[in-house]
C-alpha cells in the first residue's frame, strides 16, 4: 500500500507518506443519501489500520499521512465527497459551490445556516477564509536555497503539503454580511476549482491558540497584499502567529486534554485514543448533515503487521481490515469462514526517491544506483502473488489503467532501467564505492523486502547500503538523515495537483530538493490548462524529465485488498485515500 496523501498525493506509511501528494481527501457514494434518516444502532464497528495517528491537521506537511487523512475524513464535513467511480459528488447538506462567472472564473461558496463545530461554535465564512489562506500559499514571498531548501529571504507562512498552484492566483472578492457565503475569484482559468473545498481547521481555535484576535486575523487575510518573492515584505506578525500554530499545533502523540485541538464538524468525533493501540470515535451530536452513520461507535485499531490483522479478523477482534496485500495474506483470508474478501486496483504506488545532495549530487552516481534496482524481482515476489498480471511500473506520473500510460512509457526513457545492469553501474562508478543511507518503514513488510533486495543488488556494483529504516520514517521526509527512501503515494483519484505538489521545486511535498526548470514550468501551466489532452502531453514531458534526471524509480502499483466479516455489510472497494471508510454512512451492522 502507499503512505503519504490534499488534493495532493498523500504519503502512505504502511505496510503501505504527504499525500502527502499531496494525493488524499474524500469519498462518497454515487447515489444520494436516503431521504429518510437511517436508524442508528447502539453498536460498534472496529477497523484495523496500519499506521499510527499523528495529527488532526492532515493538510500540513507534518500531518500528511494516510491515517490522519482518514480520521480527518470521518470528523470533517465539507462541500463534496468523491465516489467509488472517482467523481466529485456535492454534499448539499453542508453547502454549495457554484460557478457564477466563467470570465473571470468566480466560484460562490454558500454554507447552510446552523452548521456548528462540535464545541457549538458556528461554522462561518471566517473558517473558509482561513482555509483559503492556509492552503493557498497566497501570502508567501519566500526564496529558498536550492541546495538546502531553507528559506533565505521572505516568509513562508503555512507549511501545507498541498499544491498551491492555481489557488494562489485567486482572491476573495465578496463576503456576505451574514457570513454564510463568499465568492472566490481566480486570475485565470483553474482546472481543479471544484475540489477546493476551503474548509480546514476551526479558525476560532487557531486564533485563540496563536494569541491573535479572530476579527483581526480575518481582516488581515482579506486586506494583505499577495506575496511577491522578488519584493518580500516585512513579516505580518498576526498571520505568522496563526500559521506557526497551524503548522504544528495540531500534531500529537496522545489525546490532548484540550478538546479544541480535535474538534469535529463531521459525523464522528474522537472520543479516546490509546497510542499505538487504538482510537475510538463516537457520534458527533452537533452534526446535522446527511452522511449519518448507522452505528454508534467506530474503533480504529493500529495493527501494522498483515498477519496480525488477519488473526484479529479471524478472532472477531476487528470487523474490517485492509492489510498489506500479499499472496500469503490473500490465501489466509480466503480460508476464513464468514469473511468477504474484496480486491481491486489501488491508487497508490511504491517508489524509490533519491536526494539531490550529498552522495547523489552527481548524476552518474544516481544513474549507477538506479541501474542496480531489482524492480522485476520486487514485482515477482511481492505483487504477482496477489495480482498475477502485475508489471513493473514505468511512469512516475501515470498508472497502467490510465490511457496516457503506454505513450508515456514509450517516450519517458524508463527503458534505461528496464533490467538490472550491474556492469553498467560499475562503469559509471569507475571504482568508487559510495555509501547510501536508505530509509524505509521497518513496520511495512513490502518495504523491508524491498530494502533487502536493493541492498543485495547494489552491493554487487560497489555501493555500501546503510540501513536507516525506522518507524517514524514519515516525520523524517525532507531531513538529512537519508540519501534514498522507499515509500508510497496514494491519490484521491481526482485533480491535477501531483506535479506541483511533489515534483516542482516549490512543491509542498518535494522532499528531495529536486529542481528542474521545465518541470517547474509545467507545474505552473497545468493548473490553468483546461484541455485534458494538453495536460496529458505536459505530464508525459514532465515524466521524461524525471527519468532524464535520474530522479528515482517507480516500483509498482499496489494491489488493493480488504476483508470484512459478515457482521458488517455495505462495504465496497475504493482504491483511493479514504480506503474502507469512503462510504461509512452506508454500512449496516447485524447483531
Amino acid at each position: 500500500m502507499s503512505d503519504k496523501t490534499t488534493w495532493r498525493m498523500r504519503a502512505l506509511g504502511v505496510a503501505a507518506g504527504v499525500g502527502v501528494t499531496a494525493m488524499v481527501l474524500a469519498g462518497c457514494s454515487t447515489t444520494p443519501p436516503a431521504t429518510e434518516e437511517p436508524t442508528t444502532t447502539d453498536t460498534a464497528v472496529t477497523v484495523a489500520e496500519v499506521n499510527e495517528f499523528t495529527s488532526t491537521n492532515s493538510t500540513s506537511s507534518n500531518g500528511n499521512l494516510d491515517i490522519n487523512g482518514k480520521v480527518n475524513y470521518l470528523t470533517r464535513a465539507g462541500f463534496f465527497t468523491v465516489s467509488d467511480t472517482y467523481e466529485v459528488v456535492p454534499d448539499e447538506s453542508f453547502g454549495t459551490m457554484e460557478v457564477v462567472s466563467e470570465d473571470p472564473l468566480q466560484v460562490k461558496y454558500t454554507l447552510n445556516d446552523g452548521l456548528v463545530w462540535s464545541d457549538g461554535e458556528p461554522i462561518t465564512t471566517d473558517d473558509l477564509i482561513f482555509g483559503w489562506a492556509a492552503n493557498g500559499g497566497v501570502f508567501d514571498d519566500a526564496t529558498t536555497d536550492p541546495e538546502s531548501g531553507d528559506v533565505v529571504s521572505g516568509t513562508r507562512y503555512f507549511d501545507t503539503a498541498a499544491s498551491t498552484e492555481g489557488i494562489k492566483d485567486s482572491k476573495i472578492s465578496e463576503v456576505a454580511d451574514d457570513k454564510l457565503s463568499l465568492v472566490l475569484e481566480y486570475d485565470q482559468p483553474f482546472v481543479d476549482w471544484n475540489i477546493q473545498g476551503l474548509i480546514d481547521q476551526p479558525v476560532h481555535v487557531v486564533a485563540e491558540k496563536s494569541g491573535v484576535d479572530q476579527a483581526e486575523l480575518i481582516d488581515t487575510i482579506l486586506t494583505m497584499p499577495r506575496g511577491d518573492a522578488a519584493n518580500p515584505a516585512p513579516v505580518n506578525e498576526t498571520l505568522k502567529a496563526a500559521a506557526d500554530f497551524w503548522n504544528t499545533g495540531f500534531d500529537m502523540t496522545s489525546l490532548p486534554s484540550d478538546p479544541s485541538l480535535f474538534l469535529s464538524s463531521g459525523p464522528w468525533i474522537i472520543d479516546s485514543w490509546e497510542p499505538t493501540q487504538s482510537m475510538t470515535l463516537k457520534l458527533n451530536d452537533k452534526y446535522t448533515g446527511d452522511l449519518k452513520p448507522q452505528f454508534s461507535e467506530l474503533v480504529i485499531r493500529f495493527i501494522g503487521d498483515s498477519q496480525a490483522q488477519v488473526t484479529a479478523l479471524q478472532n472477531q477482534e476487528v470487523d474490517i481490515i485492509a492489510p498489506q496485500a500479499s499472496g500469503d495474506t490473500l490465501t489466509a483470508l480466503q480460508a476464513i469462514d464468514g469473511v468477504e474478501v474484496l480486491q481491486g486496483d489501488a491508487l497508490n504506488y511504491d517508489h524509490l526517491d533519491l536526494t539531490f545532495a550529498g552522495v547523489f549530487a552527481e548524476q552518474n552516481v544516481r544513474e549507477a544506483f538506479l541501474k542496480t534496482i531489482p524492480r522485476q524481482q520486487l514485482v515477482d515476489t511481492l505483487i504477482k502473488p496477489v495480482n498475477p498480471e502485475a508489471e513493473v511500473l514505468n511512469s512516475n506520473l501515470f498508472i497502467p489503467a490510465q490511457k496516457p500510460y503506454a505513450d508515456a512509457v514509450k517516450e519517458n526513457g524508463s527503458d534505461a532501467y528496464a533490467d538490472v545492469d550491474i556492469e553498467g553501474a560499475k562503469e559509471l562508478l569507475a571504482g568508487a564505492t559510495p555509501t547510501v543511507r536508505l530509509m524505509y518503514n521497518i513496520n511495512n513488510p513490502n518495504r523491508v523486502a524491498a530494502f533487502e533486495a536493493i541492498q543485495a543488488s547494489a552491493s554487487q556494483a560497489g555501493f555500501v547500503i546503510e540501513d536507516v529504516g525506522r518507524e517514524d520514517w514519515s516525520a523524517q521526509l525532507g531531513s538529512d538523515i537519508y540519501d534514498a527512501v522507499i515509500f508510497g503515494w496514494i491519490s484521491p483519484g481526482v485533480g491535477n495537483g501531483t506535479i506541483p505538489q511533489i515534483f516542482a521545486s516549490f512543491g509542498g511535498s518535494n522532499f528531495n530538493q529536486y529542481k528542474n526548470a521545465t518541470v517547474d514550468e509545467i507545474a505552473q501551466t497545468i493548473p490553468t490548462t483546461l484541455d485534458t489532452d494538453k495536460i496529458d502531453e505536459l505530464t508525459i514531458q514532465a515524466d521524461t524529465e524525471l527519468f532524464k534526471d535520474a530522479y528515482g524509480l517507480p516500483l509498482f502499483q499496489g494491489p488493493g485488498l480488504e476483508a470484512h466479516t459478515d457482521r458488517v455489510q455495505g462495504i465496497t472497494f475504493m482504491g483511493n485515500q479514504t480506503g474502507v471508510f469512503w462510504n461509512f454512512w452506508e454500512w449496516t451492522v447485524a447483531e
Side-chain angles (χ1 to χ4, degrees), residues 297-522:
E297 188 173 276
L298 178 61
V299 179
I300 300 175
R301 289 271 309 276
F302 306 119
I303 305 176
D305 181 75
S306 300
Q307 187 53 53
Q309 283 200 21
V310 173
T311 300
L313 186 72
Q314 187 171 21
N315 294 341
Q316 300 182 12
E317 298 168 8
V318 300
D319 300 294
I320 308 166
I321 67 174
Q324 179 83 60
S326 70
D328 291 343
T329 301
L330 178 59
T331 299
L333 287 172
Q334 291 172 334
I336 304 174
D337 292 334
V339 165
E340 181 177 358
V341 179
L342 305 174
Q343 291 181 260
D345 292 324
L347 296 186
N348 67 70
Y349 71 98
D350 272 30
H351 52 97
L352 172 73
D353 291 358
L354 310 185
T355 299
F356 280 62
V359 68
F360 286 132
E362 299 297 327
Q363 171 96 11
N364 66 307
V365 181
R366 295 197 302 272
E367 290 182 6
F369 186 62
L370 297 186
K371 285 180 177 293
T372 72
I373 307 305
R375 297 196 297 158
Q376 187 64 56
Q377 176 188 337
L378 296 179
V379 171
D380 290 344
T381 58
L382 301 179
I383 308 304
K384 281 195 174 183
V386 183
N387 176 12
E389 305 302 317
E391 298 179 353
V392 168
L393 185 63
N394 282 311
S395 171
N396 290 290
L397 296 169
F398 297 104
I399 57 175
Q402 294 176 295
K403 185 178 178 181
Y405 177 80
D407 290 336
V409 173
K410 290 178 183 177
E411 299 180 26
N412 63 19
S414 59
D415 55 351
Y417 307 103
D419 301 302
V420 172
D421 181 7
I422 300 299
E423 293 306 314
K426 287 181 177 180
E427 183 176 343
L428 286 167
L429 291 177
T433 57
T435 296
V436 175
R437 299 166 299 165
L438 182 53
M439 186 172 75
Y440 61 97
N441 179 3
I442 60 175
N443 293 325
N444 180 330
N446 278 7
R447 306 280 161 72
V448 173
F451 167 80
E452 292 173 346
I454 291 170
Q455 183 181 50
S457 182
S459 64
Q460 297 179 46
F463 285 100
V464 177
I465 307 301
E466 182 179 336
D467 185 344
V468 292
R470 53 199 298 140
E471 290 185 354
D472 67 339
W473 65 274
S474 64
Q476 299 299 326
L477 289 172
S479 74
D480 61 0
I481 71 164
Y482 66 91
D483 304 302
V485 57
I486 309 165
F487 71 109
W489 287 114
I490 183 169
S491 168
V494 295
N496 297 279
T498 299
I499 295 174
Q501 179 189 343
I502 302 175
F503 301 106
S505 63
F506 47 80
S509 298
N510 182 338
F511 297 119
N512 55 351
Q513 302 173 37
Y514 177 66
K515 185 177 180 63
N516 176 298
T518 300
V519 174
D520 281 356
E521 182 179 356
I522 290 170

Side-chain angles (χ1 to χ4, degrees), residues 142-432:
T143 298
T144 57
D145 185 304
E147 296 298 323
S148 67
D150 296 334
V151 174
V152 294
S153 67
T155 308
R156 184 182 186 193
Y157 289 95
F158 295 93
D159 188 17
T160 178
S163 166
T164 61
E165 290 306 300
I167 188 74
K168 72 178 182 182
D169 297 320
S170 65
K171 64 182 179 181
I172 294 173
S173 60
E174 298 176 28
V175 182
D177 291 339
D178 63 5
K179 291 192 173 184
L180 291 179
S181 67
L182 60 76
V183 173
L184 186 64
E185 181 177 313
Y186 292 88
D187 293 354
Q188 49 196 332
F190 181 39
V191 66
D192 287 337
W193 69 266
N194 65 330
I195 55 175
Q196 306 303 315
L198 300 193
I199 192 74
D200 189 79
Q201 296 294 334
V203 67
H204 68 282
V205 173
V206 175
E208 178 187 355
K209 297 301 180 184
S210 60
V212 303
D213 179 75
Q214 180 176 327
E216 181 184 353
L217 175 60
I218 296 303
D219 184 64
T220 297
I221 293 171
L222 291 176
T223 59
M224 184 172 167
R226 289 181 184 172
D228 179 3
N231 297 286
V235 175
N236 184 290
E237 297 297 342
T238 298
L239 190 65
K240 186 67 163 58
D244 285 349
F245 178 80
W246 183 92
N247 289 339
T248 60
F250 295 98
D251 298 347
M252 54 191 69
T253 56
S254 61
L255 194 65
S257 58
D258 182 355
S260 71
L261 297 177
F262 52 96
L263 294 184
S264 172
S265 60
W268 296 101
I269 185 170
I270 299 173
D271 184 50
S272 62
W273 175 20
E274 185 177 353
T276 75
Q277 299 300 313
S278 66
M279 174 177 284
T280 299
L281 293 86
K282 65 179 182 181
L283 294 177
N284 175 14
D285 60 10
K286 300 292 197 301
Y287 175 71
T288 58
D290 288 341
L291 309 184
K292 294 182 178 179
Q294 300 179 54
F295 51 99
S296 60
E297 188 173 276
L298 178 61
V299 179
I300 300 175
R301 289 271 309 276
F302 306 119
I303 305 176
D305 181 75
S306 300
Q307 187 53 53
Q309 283 200 21
V310 173
T311 300
L313 186 72
Q314 187 171 21
N315 294 341
Q316 300 182 12
E317 298 168 8
V318 300
D319 300 294
I320 308 166
I321 67 174
Q324 179 83 60
S326 70
D328 291 343
T329 301
L330 178 59
T331 299
L333 287 172
Q334 291 172 334
I336 304 174
D337 292 334
V339 165
E340 181 177 358
V341 179
L342 305 174
Q343 291 181 260
D345 292 324
L347 296 186
N348 67 70
Y349 71 98
D350 272 30
H351 52 97
L352 172 73
D353 291 358
L354 310 185
T355 299
F356 280 62
V359 68
F360 286 132
E362 299 297 327
Q363 171 96 11
N364 66 307
V365 181
R366 295 197 302 272
E367 290 182 6
F369 186 62
L370 297 186
K371 285 180 177 293
T372 72
I373 307 305
R375 297 196 297 158
Q376 187 64 56
Q377 176 188 337
L378 296 179
V379 171
D380 290 344
T381 58
L382 301 179
I383 308 304
K384 281 195 174 183
V386 183
N387 176 12
E389 305 302 317
E391 298 179 353
V392 168
L393 185 63
N394 282 311
S395 171
N396 290 290
L397 296 169
F398 297 104
I399 57 175
Q402 294 176 295
K403 185 178 178 181
Y405 177 80
D407 290 336
V409 173
K410 290 178 183 177
E411 299 180 26
N412 63 19
S414 59
D415 55 351
Y417 307 103
D419 301 302
V420 172
D421 181 7
I422 300 299
E423 293 306 314
K426 287 181 177 180
E427 183 176 343
L428 286 167
L429 291 177

